[in-house]
Amino acid sequence: MTTIATKTNLLGLSQGDLEQFLVARSEKPFRAQQIMQWIYQRDCDDFDEMTDLSKSLRSQLKGDAEIISPMVQARHNSKDGCIKWLFSSGSGQAVETVFIPESDRGTLCISSQVGCALDCSFCATGAQGFNRNLSSAEIIGQVRHAIRELPRRSNDEPAVTNVVFMGMGEPLANYRNVVSVLELLVSDWSYGMSRRRVTVSTSGIVPHINKLADDCNVALAVSLHASSDDLRDQIVPINKLHPINTLLEACWQYAEKRSKRFITFEYVMLRGVNDSIAHANQLASLLKGKPAKVNLIPFNPFFGTEFKRSSVETIRHFQDRLRERGLIATTRKTRGDDIDAACGQLAGKVSDRIKKPLGKKIIAPKTSPEKPNGHSDIRLSSV
Ligand code: SAH
Ligand code: SF4
């Protein structure tokens, strides 16, 4: 029987893993730094071009290793400059990545899983169920591809200045691969981004929030969305495992380890569900005096959902009340309304393994299903 030797994909390996790979081949660990510079800073896929490596190492790498990026299936350009890519994740499935350009920065919103198992009741990704974790190559490959395709900024910086894990999937449920990618994003041998410009958004996997603070303390956004356990249990089911008080305790510890840098609390505005002044008061009491800012996200409808977006006035009153109570509160702006790329609308192509009926929307008002209204909200800056 013939054995087919499999090659190691060097894309997405953390520096530590790359060093181990090289040391196992009797090479010095610092070669990892050179290879990382070739892959991420010089966008090189060809070992022959890595001329500061010895000829023998290059030929060994050609035999044992490869640099394979995820395949792009489609690109959609919005009129306002936002771009969405669909990356193939095998077996007919795909994940989505969105670029949001602004005058002072370019934010890339990346995916970490094919689907999501956490089943938040207002999220299109959750409604599809979960298929698998993306590999670190598939995650960092989204960033590499965007940087490769997009023209540099006027100050000659790469187009992508900020990365947020707010695409498909729950990043802290794919912990190991996500941490490898975080390390690459901030490493001087790779993209060298400031930790402040890399944000992990989580629905609240508490043990991993605690761990992240030690492993790679980037900026943290927490999808709170409700001010009481009763309500959060229903719309963010992971709350049953990690209720609000445990979650907030982990957040304050995280902030402490980051010299009290603010944690962003995301709060999706669902009409008649979590958007009353009483909810705003309750939210303010939870967060007052803490290193917290609140980012209100107007709900983005998707096919089959029974939830509706709160009105502009309701969102403004909610935000005003939070401010009156001393909190920093902003509302995410609407952008990219001609491509389906909004928070929670990224659906890619997922055939799930955890099947569940779409529409167990326990507390949503009983109205007819709403189709996407075309007002996508993919701008991550706020007013
Ligand atoms: N799984 C992570 C990150 C991906 S979702 C998390 O939940 O934080 C990114 C953000 O979009 C989260 O705050 C999420 O709650 C929000 N979101 C999900 N569905 C949405 C929708 N339909 N409209 C607006 N925001 C949504
Ligand atoms: Fe998963 Fe985040 Fe969507 Fe919840 S909101 S289902 S955690 S992707």
Side-chain angles (χ1 to χ4, degrees), residues 93-106:
Q93 316 211 46
V95 295
E96 297 183 336
T97 305
V98 179
F99 178 67
I100 305 114
E102 289 172 279
S103 54
D104 59 340
R105 62 191 153 154

Side-chain angles (χ1 to χ4, degrees), residues 95-98 109-114 134-135 138-140 142 164-169 174 178 346:
V95 295
E96 297 183 336
T97 305
V98 179
C109 176
I110 62 174
S111 294
S112 56
Q113 298 184 308
V114 186
L134 291 178
S135 66
E138 290 172 312
I139 304 172
I140 197 80
Q142 298 167 53
V164 296
F165 282 76
M166 293 185 187
M168 294 168 66
N174 183 9
V178 165
L346 298 185

